[in-house]
Amino acid sequence: MGHAGLFIETAGGSVLCDPWVSPAFFGSWFPFPDNSDLDWDGYGRSADYLYVSHLHRDHFDPVVLRRHVRKEATVLLPDFPTDELECELRALGFTRFLRTRSGVPVERDGLRMMVTALTGPGDGPIGDSALSLDDGETVLLNQNDAHPLDTAAIREFGGVHAHFMQFSGAIWWPMVYRLPHAARRQFAERKRRGQFERAVRYIDALQGAHVFPNSGPPCFLDEELFHLNGTGEDGASIFTDQQEFLSALAEQRPDVPAHMWLPGSVAKVRKSDCEVVHRYNSHEITYLFDHKPQYLRAYARRRQPELAAERDSRAPSLRGDELLAALKDWWEPLLARANRICEGVGGPLRLDVDDTSLVVDFPARQVRLWDGERCRYTLSVPGDLVATNIAARENDWSNSLLLSLRFSAERVGPYNEFVYTFLKCLSEERIDYVENYYASADDDVDDVVIDDWQVQRRCPHLRADLTDFGTIEDGVLTCNLHGWMFDLPSGQCLTSDGHDIRASRTADPTSDPAPSEQGAGREGALTGSPQGERSRRPGRPSRR
């Protein structure tokens, strides 16, 4: 049904997943290709179950849910730490909820269902999820853009016959950063490569009989963002399309049965048998990808009224003391509760809002006017977007302003996760949850041996099991889930400050690991799958 949207029919009932049509993130994102002419009433009124994987607006579309989806549908509710998703759905009129436990199957009318919830600071920051379904004959995994680490538990649910997964970019890096064009192009190419390698890792781990690239890419129909479409001007963007991914996958994994997946496509899957029928003919599919700029220009003309309405809906900009007072009253009480976040940022963030420059001083827990001091981090954002977020008391600026790509950024030094975590947690409930998450992760004591290095088992970023996701080359450990890198002799994180790792050489790679005192780490309980020539474990397993 476009992007991450799926309508799944089984003998045990039908499931509508992540229906999205409306422009998202201040009118920046649209599904590619256009899905607005699908029979939304027909699908929405016949759905027995509704599954919304998380609250990002390219998955949670309140307009579609309010207008087209019957309110008697049973909502499959992920096991998130807050009730924000439930509250949003109740406000739209939904009253029937099946509360799931992460990784625990539940059966209704012959349909086994399992929702795998992710609840780390990088997951929304308080929620992303994947859905497994089994009708007794065929197993389907709707991974969408979740990055589950416990792939073993998903395999235990049942051998996957149809695997729907993210394959394209869904972030603002590096496009919004003020960089020389050559550097931006290099970083974009590296990001696209990392996205592809992560997708392949999940394909290898889950061994699906059939793979469907979905949950992307977005397209950009506003003229000021049009250059971001696809791989951008001269390769400086990250939004790989379906055809590009399938071509690369066929080269690296020629034995993987992967299918083009477009709005309106229908896959009939019975065990390992699969038939895919498209609503587009072959000439139309060729035109979509070989003449993408022309297709997008026509698409943009059709959607201009929605873009104009979105612009007209924004609040008027706030300036000077009025803007300062609004953010000071809102953010300073949150900074006072955010000890680990403030320590993790470790310095001031400059926020340029039109002609007003503010400083979010994390060490001082203060919001004030900028006085000319040097700041490691600078965000330059449009005043009407900030004013709209203030008026709405938007508690996740990632889910509004940042993913709009309507801002620019600079930083001195590596990426700092804590800066963006704060901007995703602009409520007491979110701040308290993330602070407790970091506190509970500080007692990591488990070490493992990879090659001739003894390292903490969990990646300090999102606690991936490094025996599965870690590879070592020239003294640098890379966690291949998100590409974070660590210098092993020093334990220093090369990707972001404040995430150093515990590591030491071991003379005998087969010896039992013992705790090391070098560096610092965080504990988790998630597992992945082996891959990579430099991993301690065997290489890619053979397919079924």
Side-chain angles (χ1 to χ4, degrees), residues 147-153 155 201-202 204-206 457-458 463-470 481 525-531 537:
H147 302 149
L149 305 184
D150 194 355
T151 53
R155 290 196 304 268
R201 182 171 289 273
Y202 278 113
D204 289 346
L206 293 163
R457 177 181 291 275
R458 304 294 171 184
R463 302 186 293 175
D465 189 331
L466 292 172
T467 58
D468 292 326
F469 287 90
L481 186 68
L526 303 170
T527 60
S529 68
Q531 186 203 3
R537 295 190 173 191

Side-chain angles (χ1 to χ4, degrees), residues 390-465:
I390 290 173
R393 207 69 169 187
E394 172 60 59
N395 64 9
D396 184 350
W397 285 28
S398 168
N399 195 19
S400 56
L401 194 155
L402 300 181
L403 282 171
S404 77
L405 283 77
R406 299 181 186 272
F407 75 106
S408 62
E410 292 181 272
R411 69 173 187 243
V412 178
Y415 168 77
N416 190 302
E417 170 189 350
F418 298 100
V419 170
Y420 293 104
T421 296
F422 177 75
L423 293 172
K424 296 175 183 178
C425 296
L426 298 174
S427 69
E428 290 185 358
E429 184 178 32
R430 287 193 172 206
I431 283 287
D432 290 348
Y433 170 73
V434 170
E435 286 290 308
N436 289 332
Y437 178 95
Y438 285 137
S440 67
D442 279 343
D443 56 354
D444 177 29
V445 296
D446 191 13
D447 284 12
V448 294
V449 173
I450 304 176
D451 294 343
D452 57 348
W453 286 92
Q454 179 175 299
V455 299
Q456 65 189 61
R457 177 181 291 275
R458 304 294 171 184
C459 175
H461 177 217
L462 291 182
R463 302 186 293 175
D465 189 331

Side-chain angles (χ1 to χ4, degrees), residues 1-8 15-21 31 35 38 40 51 53 58-59 142 144 164 213-216 261-265:
M1 302 190 74
H3 204 65
L6 297 174
F7 185 78
I8 305 165
V15 187
L16 176 63
C17 307
D18 287 346
W20 171 47
V21 182
N35 65 348
L38 296 178
W40 292 101
Y51 168 68
S53 61
D58 57 324
H59 298 259
N142 175 13
N144 63 86
F164 297 81
N214 80 326
S215 193
W261 194 236
L262 301 168
S265 297

Side-chain angles (χ1 to χ4, degrees), residues 41-179:
D41 278 339
Y43 291 118
R45 291 171 182 169
S46 60
D48 298 301
Y49 298 95
L50 171 67
Y51 168 68
V52 177
S53 61
H54 61 300
L55 270 173
H56 278 173
R57 296 295 177 171
D58 57 324
H59 298 259
F60 173 78
D61 184 342
V63 176
V64 169
L65 296 173
R66 183 186 300 110
R67 292 179 181 174
H68 301 292
V69 183
R70 70 187 191 101
K71 303 309 177 286
E72 295 77 19
T74 298
V75 177
L76 303 178
L77 198 65
D79 187 12
F80 291 155
T82 75
D83 62 356
E84 292 176 62
L85 176 58
E86 179 180 353
C87 289
E88 292 275 6
L89 290 168
R90 285 191 181 278
L92 294 172
F94 295 94
T95 59
R96 298 181 178 179
F97 292 86
L98 176 56
R99 291 175 175 80
T100 64
R101 293 173 55 198
S102 182
V104 178
V106 60
E107 184 170 342
R108 292 286 180 93
D109 300 322
L111 180 62
R112 289 176 65 237
M113 301 171 278
M114 183 177 77
V115 178
T116 302
L118 305 172
T119 57
D123 298 309
I126 46 137
D128 202 344
S129 63
L131 173 67
S132 301
L133 297 174
D134 174 16
D135 67 355
E137 185 172 60
T138 303
V139 175
L140 179 148
L141 171 62
N142 175 13
Q143 185 180 338
N144 63 86
D145 56 3
H147 302 149
L149 305 184
D150 194 355
T151 53
I154 294 175
R155 290 196 304 268
E156 288 171 7
F157 179 85
V160 177
H161 299 108
H163 180 189
F164 297 81
M165 61 177 300
Q166 183 190 45
F167 68 97
S168 187
I171 195 66
W172 51 84
W173 165 262
M175 292 78 68
V176 304
Y177 275 81
R178 295 173 185 148
L179 295 166

Side-chain angles (χ1 to χ4, degrees), residues 444 456 490-492 499-504 516-521:
D444 177 29
Q456 65 189 61
S490 66
Q492 179 184 1
H499 293 80
D500 293 349
I501 199 168
R502 182 174 63 249
S504 62
S516 164
E517 296 180 356
Q518 182 174 349

